Structure formats: structure tokens, C-alpha cells
């Protein structure tokens, strides 16, 4: 199915559709979840009018075909892997923009990178509640994109990096925790191409979807090779020392803490990893996270 026109009521999701199109070949996983987020927001805006319903149903059908065509180990079929993929990509784009900004290299690519990072941080909400670090960096990225764009347009020289606290109470600050600390060791992606759209959503015309859903260009990481341990007697997990009966949501919260800890370890941030592992352990033994 070819969808070429974005209904007027759905123009607020136009930037996410445009970002998806830009990533169809560069990173199909990012493109998929940008459209997935656009569907969610589109349903919130208008899912009843005939034109919006037709557009959103067509988009959902396209995404379903992509998911079915993807391999079993694709991030499109595993939310944990998908979240990690999109989050790492968003943080790399954010780091590129932040490094360029702090070095005083102000141009349209830096504006576009901050803007794209901010939208991808939005997209992360399709998986779960975003962390405080991501929320801070999202607000900062969006503010930086608008701030640098305004300065370039007026001929002013932007202030590199975060504004000193007190200079502008409305200016957000980026996260100072380990959310991006370890990303300096990652290869940075190429800056997003194209110019930053300064005001309003794009026009209603959007290029056609690819007729054949692209395969997710994803290769699962190589797992360390371990020698199998010698057979042991069957291990029985100990009972909860506090006798607490945990609910399904408790296990889900514990899994989330462990996931955050794993992500922190990837960024070589032991403090955040220990904090989240401690929360998981406390939840599993007492039924309380804090």
C-alpha cells in the first residue's frame, strides 16, 4: 500500500515519519520504531475521522508486514533488544551533537542532530517509562536545537555547551550521570542529513512507503564462549527470606532495574549499575523497591 498524503490533523507526527524515511536504509530498526511511535501519537490525535483512520490503519499494516518479515532475533520482535538499539543510537547522535556544540562548531548539522536525538528520545517511550537521564537529555537536545537555530538565524554566536546555571532559568541542563559517559568509546554515526525544520510540522506530502518492507539490518552481538560446567545436583532456589509473596508487576520492575543496570555497565558506569541492582535485590527480598 502506498501512503503519500499525511492528513492535516496528523501533521504533528510528520517529523517522526520524515525521520523514519531518512533511516529506512541507514537503520531500518530506528525507522520502524519512529513509525511505531507516530502511530501511537496519531491515534491520540485522531483515530476516528475517515482520512486519519485510513492513514493510521495503512501505517499499522505496513509495520506489521515489516515485523513479520524480520528474522526471529530482530529488535523488531524483542522489545528489550529494540529499546537498547534505539537508545544507543539516540545517545550516539546526541553525543555527536554535544561534542560539536562544546567544541564551538555550530552549523545546521549540529542543529539537526540535536533535533533528531530529541525525537528519538521521544520514541523510547514506546517501550517503557523513560529514565530521568533520558528525559533530561531529551529536553536539553530539543532546547539546544531551537537555541542554536535561533542564534544562527539572527547572526549571534551561540554559547557552547550548557548555559551556566542562573543565566537562564528556563534553559535545561543535560544529564551529568552515566547515561552518556561510556559512549565516547562508541563509533559515532554520521550526522543526520538535511536541514532542521525550525517551525511547524512538514507539509502534508510524504513520500510513499517502500513496497517491500526492508529487513532489519541487525546482527546479534557475539556471546562470550564459556566451557560448560561439570554437572551438578539440581539447584533449588532459596525461599524468600522475608516470606514476601511477589506479584507479576514486582518481577517486571525487578527486570527493569536489571536492564538499567546492564545498560549502565555497557557505559562503564558502576555507580548506576550498583544502584539499580540494589533496587532489584531489595524488591525481590522485601517486595519494596525503595
Amino acid at each position: 500500500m502506498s501512503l503519500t498524503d499525511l492528513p492535516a490533523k496528523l501533521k504533528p507526527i510528520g517529523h517522526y515519519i520524515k525521520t523514519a524515511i531518512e533511516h529506512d536504509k541507514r537503520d531500518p530498526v530506528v525507522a520502524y520504531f519512529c513509525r511505531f511511535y507516530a502511530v501511537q501519537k496519531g491515534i491520540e490525535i485522531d483515530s476516528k475521522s475517515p482520512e486519519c483512520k485510513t492513514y493510521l490503519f495503512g501505517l499499522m499494516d505496513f509495520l506489521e508486514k515489516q515485523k513479520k518479515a524480520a528474522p526471529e532475533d530482530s529488535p523488531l520482535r524483542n522489545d528489550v533488544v529494540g529499546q537498547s538499539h534505539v537508545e544507543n543510537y539516540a545517545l550516539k547522535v546526541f553525543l555527536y551533537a554535544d561534542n560539536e556544540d562544546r567544541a564551538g562548531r555550530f552549523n545546521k548539522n549540529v542543529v539537526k542532530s540535536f533535533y533528531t536525538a530529541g525525537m528519538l528520545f521521544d520514541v523510547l517511550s514506546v517501550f517503557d517509562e523513560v529514565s530521568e537521564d533520558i528525559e533530561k537529555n531529551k529536553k536539553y537536545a530539543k532546547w539546544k536545537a531551537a537555541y542554536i537555530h535561533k542564534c544562527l538565524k539572527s547572526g549571534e554566536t551561540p554559547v557552547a555547551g550548557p548555559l551556566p546555571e542562573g543565566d537562564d532559568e528556563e534553559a535545561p541542563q543535560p544529564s551529568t550521570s552515566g547515561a552518556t559517559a561510556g559512549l565516547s568509546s562508541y563509533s559515532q554515526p554520521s550526522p543526520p542529513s538535511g536541514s532542521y525544520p525550525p517551525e511547524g510540522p512538514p507539509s502534508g506530502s510524504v513520500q510513499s512507503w517502500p513496497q517491500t518492507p526492508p529487513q532489519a539490518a541487525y546482527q546479534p552481538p557475539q556471546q562470550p564462549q564459556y566451557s560448560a560446567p561439570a554437572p551438578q545436583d539440581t539447584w533449588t532456589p532459596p525461599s524468600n527470606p522475608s516470606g514476601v509473596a511477589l506479584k507479576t508487576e514486582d518481577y517486571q520492575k525487578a527486570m527493569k532495574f536489571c536492564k538499567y543496570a546492564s545498560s549502565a555497565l555497557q557505559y562503564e558506569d558502576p555507580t548506576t549499575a550498583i544502584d539499580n541492582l540494589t533496587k532489584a535485590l531489595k524488591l525481590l527480598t522485601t517486595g519494596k523497591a525503595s
Side-chain angles (χ1 to χ4, degrees), residues 11 16 25 33-34 101 108 113 165 186 189 196 209 211 243 250 261 263 270:
K11 284 185 179 181
Y16 302 97
K25 293 183 178 180
F33 285 110
C34 282
D101 172 48
K108 291 183 178 180
S113 295
E165 293 189 17
Y186 286 80
Y196 162 68
W209 306 137
Q211 296 304 304
D250 294 326
S263 179

Side-chain angles (χ1 to χ4, degrees), residues 5-109:
D5 294 320
L6 189 67
K9 289 184 178 180
L10 296 182
K11 284 185 179 181
I13 68 173
H15 291 318
Y16 302 97
I17 297 297
K18 182 179 179 182
T19 301
I21 293 171
E22 291 173 349
H23 285 81
D24 273 327
K25 293 183 178 180
R26 179 185 300 181
D27 194 314
V29 174
V30 170
Y32 174 89
F33 285 110
C34 282
R35 289 191 176 101
F36 193 93
Y37 177 82
V39 167
Q40 288 192 347
K41 301 307 291 184
I43 290 174
E44 293 177 7
I45 296 171
D46 184 357
S47 62
K48 295 182 179 180
S49 64
E51 63 273 17
C52 290
K53 183 183 294 186
T54 298
Y55 182 87
L56 293 172
F57 279 9
L59 188 53
M60 285 189 284
D61 182 61
F62 173 75
L63 292 175
E64 184 62 26
K65 290 179 180 178
Q66 273 195 305
K67 187 174 182 179
K68 288 182 178 180
E72 289 293 333
D73 58 357
S74 167
L76 275 59
R77 291 173 173 260
N78 186 313
D79 283 351
V80 174
V81 180
Q83 179 179 12
S84 178
H85 184 106
V86 177
E87 183 173 325
N88 283 340
Y89 187 92
L91 288 172
K92 289 177 188 178
V93 175
F94 176 80
L95 181 65
Y96 165 81
D98 192 44
N99 285 342
E100 291 294 290
D101 172 48
R102 291 172 189 265
R105 294 188 286 267
F106 307 111
N107 52 55
K108 291 183 178 180
N109 275 339

Side-chain angles (χ1 to χ4, degrees), residues 89-221:
Y89 187 92
L91 288 172
K92 289 177 188 178
V93 175
F94 176 80
L95 181 65
Y96 165 81
D98 192 44
N99 285 342
E100 291 294 290
D101 172 48
R102 291 172 189 265
R105 294 188 286 267
F106 307 111
N107 52 55
K108 291 183 178 180
N109 275 339
V110 174
V111 174
K112 181 66 180 292
S113 295
F114 270 128
Y115 185 75
T116 300
M119 288 195 297
L120 293 179
F121 289 144
D122 279 337
V123 171
L124 285 171
S125 65
V126 304
F127 301 102
D128 202 348
E129 182 179 352
V130 297
S131 67
E132 183 179 349
D133 292 326
I134 293 296
E135 191 65 31
K136 284 184 178 180
N137 287 336
K138 178 179 74 174
K139 292 179 180 179
Y140 180 75
K142 291 183 176 183
W143 172 79
K144 259 294 182 179
Y147 168 71
I148 297 177
H149 172 77
K150 180 180 178 181
C151 289
L152 293 177
K153 189 175 181 180
S154 64
E156 300 177 40
T157 300
V159 175
L163 292 183
E165 293 189 17
D167 283 16
D168 185 348
E169 294 182 358
E170 296 183 358
Q173 297 292 315
S175 170
T176 56
S177 72
T180 58
L183 281 174
S184 58
S185 61
Y186 286 80
S187 59
Q188 296 176 356
S190 302
S193 59
S195 60
Y196 162 68
E199 285 94 22
S203 60
S205 178
V206 179
Q207 76 176 56
S208 303
W209 306 137
Q211 296 304 304
T212 302
Q215 295 289 331
Y218 173 75
Q219 294 294 329

Side-chain angles (χ1 to χ4, degrees), residues 42 217 260:
Y260 290 159

